[in-house]
């Protein structure tokens, strides 16, 4: 069975490119540059960096490429990139998609970029209220869409570290393997699914009991 790799996506593919640090900050209104923004000079620098790498160098060019390469992603597999809601999420997603196709021989139509609305770190209230919920909802939709057709592999190697536990817990609940590697490591860590699941029916059945106990405490 082929695999679908669901990856949190960061900006490591653009590491050491001039201007990255400034773009990771905010604009004059203290907001991240929006999805669809254009910075032609920066994009030319990222392209030049990647064009100068051979296949071996490209496989190590980002956290996402490294874990996909170590897991043996290739033709017939699918890759879904869960991107932050920002210019860098957009542009790094596009370069990462092209690099996955180039060095891992994954078909272009089999690499999807999913923008997660409000997944950003410049507005903590918006992240807490909407971004994390949207991330969980999007990850669940993708897992459920591919379950049964592909081996579902979760790769929380890139992107914001704060979403790692959420994707890991989803892996446990959906019985998907979670794969992780460290920047200077040459081995892949597999976090196997734990033998438990979430029973929605049991939760619903216990709502009246919880409500009753709450009333008793208030009495």
């Amino acid at each position: 069975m082929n695999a679908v790799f669901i990856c949190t996506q960061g900006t490591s593919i653009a590491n050491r490119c001039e201007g990255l640090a400034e773009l990771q900050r905010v604009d004059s209104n203290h907001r991240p540059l929006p999805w669809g923004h254009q910075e032609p000079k920066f994009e030319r620098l990222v392209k030049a960096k990647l064009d100068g790498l051979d296949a071996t160098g490209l496989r190590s060019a980002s956290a996402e490429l490294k874990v996909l390469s170590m897991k043996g992603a290739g033709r017939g597999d699918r890759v879904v990139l869960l991107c932050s809601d920002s210019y860098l999420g957009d542009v790094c997603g596009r370069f990462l998609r092209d690099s996955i196709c180039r060095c891992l021989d994954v078909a272009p139509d089999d690499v999807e970029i999913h923008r997660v609305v409000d997944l950003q770190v410049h507005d903590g209230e918006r992240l807490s209220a909407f971004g994390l919920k949207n991330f969980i909802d999007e990850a669940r939709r993708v897992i459920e869409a591919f379950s049964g057709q592909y081996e579902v592999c979760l790769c929380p190697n890139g992107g914001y570290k704060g979403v790692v536990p959420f994707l890991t817990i989803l892996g446990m609940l959906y019985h998907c393997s979670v794969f992780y590697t460290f920047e200077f490591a040459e081995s892949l860590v597999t976090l196997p699914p734990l033998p438990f699941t979430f029973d929605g029916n049991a939760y619903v059945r216990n709502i009246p009991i919880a409500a009753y106990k709450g009333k008793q405490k208030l009495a």
Side-chain angles (χ1 to χ4, degrees), residues 161-175:
K161 300 307 179 188
V163 304
V164 171
F166 293 97
L167 195 61
T168 303
I169 290 171
L170 287 176
M172 294 175 180
L173 294 175
Y174 283 94
H175 296 274

Side-chain angles (χ1 to χ4, degrees), residues 7-98:
C7 305
T8 54
Q9 183 223 292
T11 60
S12 59
I13 197 164
N15 280 355
R16 294 182 293 280
C17 287
E18 180 186 350
L20 176 61
E22 289 73 18
L23 292 170
Q24 286 174 323
R25 298 190 185 100
V26 292
D27 65 12
S28 58
N29 295 313
H30 303 287
R31 295 175 299 194
L33 293 174
W35 189 280
H37 182 83
Q38 294 183 343
E39 289 286 335
K41 178 183 176 182
F42 175 73
E43 295 181 32
R44 284 196 299 270
L45 290 172
V46 179
K47 184 177 186 303
K49 169 196 169 180
L50 298 174
D51 285 348
L53 298 174
D54 60 15
T56 300
L58 199 57
R59 290 188 185 98
S60 301
S62 76
E64 302 86 357
L65 284 165
K66 183 175 181 180
V67 74
L68 288 170
S69 176
M70 294 174 75
K71 195 67 182 75
R75 182 65 61 169
D77 293 327
R78 307 284 293 269
V79 178
V80 176
L81 304 173
L82 301 177
C83 302
S84 60
D85 190 8
S86 65
Y87 162 71
L88 285 175
D90 180 9
V91 69
C92 289
R94 288 187 274 114
F95 277 114
L96 185 54
R97 178 184 58 198
D98 294 344

